[in-house]
């Protein structure tokens, strides 16, 4: 009896479940669902302008487009039509050239501010609109206290408004003896601080400006009321030295904003952020609080002006109101078998950010 010829059995194709945001692939749908729960992908995340891949930070996008291990296709297209500062892409070289002239900003300066005391107080220039809160940028310069000069002591404070006009500037009388004026960084000496304003008066002035005429502290803590958004870099340090507290939901800190972090989610210096995302240098010598205020404000305005699709909503079963900035997602509202039936695109539509995007502050600045 002749042996029967072996009939080849075609191998069934391996099914991969691909994330619609970061393009990672998984063998099991359950693994994709777990990935979506942990990733907090959303339309507010930075993304590649060529392949539309979502990334956690702008630094990740930059490495994807221009880094040593950049994606070849994306890197080639971006190299000819992309802006290295804002990471946007344009239809032609003429449009790109025209854009670059406005994308790289000029350094800010306020000659003579170091010899001035400025206090414009609370100004009500327009009818209050709770949909578009006022914006104030803050920066402090510190000298050193303690036996080794390592304790930060507030010695100078500057506040500016959204138009980069100085609202308040003053030297601050140190609360403890100064053992290191950090002259190379601050440019300060004892003469600047002898007749400076006491810290208590500075606190009062700063809070008066930030509260913006809002009398209800509870309203500020819960909803903001008329109070201003506070912009800056590493504001925890500034507020600690000023000995003031301000609600987290009113703070816009470029040292903590996720898109501006390093790929390992550690903060960049303000000097790096300004050079990379605004196109000019700061802190080349003595630190100028006005210059730092303007840099932080410009970063905020640039990222706030980004337009993102309004596609993520978290349903709170108690009130049905949208809370797209809360650190939670919609996945816990459905059973696992219901999630497994959804496509990758549907899972992405359900996913929400774990930070509040600055574009949600609304209004044109």
């Amino acid at each position: 009896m002749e042996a029967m010829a072996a009939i080849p059995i075609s191998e069934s194709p391996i099914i991969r479940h691909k994330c619609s945001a970061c393009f990672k692939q998984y063998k099991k749908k359950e693994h994709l669902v777990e990935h979506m729960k942990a990733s907090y992908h959303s339309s507010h995340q930075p993304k590649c302008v060529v392949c539309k891949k979502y990334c956690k930070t702008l630094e990740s996008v930059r490495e994807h487009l221009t880094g040593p291990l950049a994606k070849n296709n994306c890197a080639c297209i971006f190299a000819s039509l992309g802006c290295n500062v804002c990471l946007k892409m344009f239809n032609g070289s003429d449009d790109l050239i025209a854009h670059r002239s406005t994308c790289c900003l000029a350094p800010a300066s306020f000659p003579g501010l170091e010899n001035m005391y400025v206090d414009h107080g609370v100004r009500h220039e327009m009818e209050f609109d709770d949909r578009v809160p006022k914006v104030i940028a803050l920066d402090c310069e510190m000298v050193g206290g303690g036996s080794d000069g390592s304790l930060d002591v507030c010695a100078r404070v500057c506040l500016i408004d959204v138009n980069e006009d100085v609202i308040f500037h003053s030297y601050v009388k140190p609360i403890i003896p100064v053992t290191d004026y950090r002259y190379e960084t601050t440019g300060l000496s004892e003469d600047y601080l002898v007749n400076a304003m006491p810290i208590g008066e500075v606190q009062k002035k700063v809070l008066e400006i930030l509260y913006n005429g809002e009398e209800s502290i509870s309203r500020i803590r819960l909803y903001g009321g008329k109070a201003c958004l506070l912009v800056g870099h590493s504001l925890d340090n500034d507020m600690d030295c000023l000995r003031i507290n301000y609600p987290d939901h009113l703070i816009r800190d470029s040292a903590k904003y996720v898109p501006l972090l390093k790929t390992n989610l550690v903060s960049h210096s303000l000097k790096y952020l300004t050079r990379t995302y605004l196109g000019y240098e700061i802190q080349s010598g003595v630190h100028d609080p006005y210059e730092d205020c303007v840099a932080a404000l410009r970063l905020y305005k640039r990222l706030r002006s980004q337009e993102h699709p309004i596609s993520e909503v978290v349903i709170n079963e108690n009130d049905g109101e949208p809370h797209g900035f809360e650190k939670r997602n919609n996945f816990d509202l459905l059973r696992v078998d219901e999630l497994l039936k959804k496509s990758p695109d549907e899972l992405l539509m359900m996913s929400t950010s774990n930070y509040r995007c600055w574009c949600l502050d609304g209004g044109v600045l």
Side-chain angles (χ1 to χ4, degrees), residues 74-146:
C74 296
C76 290
I77 297 174
F78 185 80
S80 59
L81 297 173
C83 173
N84 287 323
V85 176
C86 66
L87 301 179
K88 293 180 180 179
M89 194 168 66
F90 298 85
N91 295 326
S93 57
D94 291 340
D95 292 339
L96 176 59
I97 292 172
H99 165 78
R100 281 176 175 164
S101 64
T102 59
C103 190
C104 293
L105 304 180
S109 64
F110 195 121
L113 182 62
E114 66 275 9
N115 299 317
M116 298 170 59
Y117 167 75
V118 180
D119 182 8
H120 291 306
V122 180
R123 296 180 295 177
H124 303 281
E125 298 171 350
M126 61 185 70
E127 185 177 350
F128 174 70
D129 184 352
D130 59 2
R131 296 169 299 176
V132 187
K134 290 178 66 174
V135 176
I136 298 294
L138 165 72
D139 185 68
C140 297
E141 293 298 328
M142 286 75 157
V143 292

Side-chain angles (χ1 to χ4, degrees), residues 198-210:
I199 186 69
E201 292 184 30
V202 173
Q203 292 171 345
K204 183 178 179 181
K205 294 282 187 182
V206 171
L207 290 175
E208 181 184 71
I209 293 169
L210 294 177

Side-chain angles (χ1 to χ4, degrees), residues 233 269-276 280-284:
H233 187 81
S269 67
L270 182 60
K271 181 181 180 71
Y272 173 86
L273 293 176
T274 304
R275 180 177 66 248
T276 306
Y280 68 94
E281 294 285 345
I282 63 169
Q283 300 177 352
S284 55

Side-chain angles (χ1 to χ4, degrees), residues 184-230:
E184 295 79 7
T185 302
T186 66
L188 297 179
S189 63
E190 183 178 2
D191 294 339
Y192 284 98
L193 306 181
V194 171
N195 297 313
M197 181 179 288
I199 186 69
E201 292 184 30
V202 173
Q203 292 171 345
K204 183 178 179 181
K205 294 282 187 182
V206 171
L207 290 175
E208 181 184 71
I209 293 169
L210 294 177
Y211 289 169
N212 192 35
E214 177 60 68
E215 298 178 355
S216 172
I217 300 300
S218 61
R219 188 178 294 117
I220 292 174
R221 298 292 177 187
L222 292 175
Y223 311 110
K226 296 180 181 180
C228 302
L229 295 179
L230 177 59

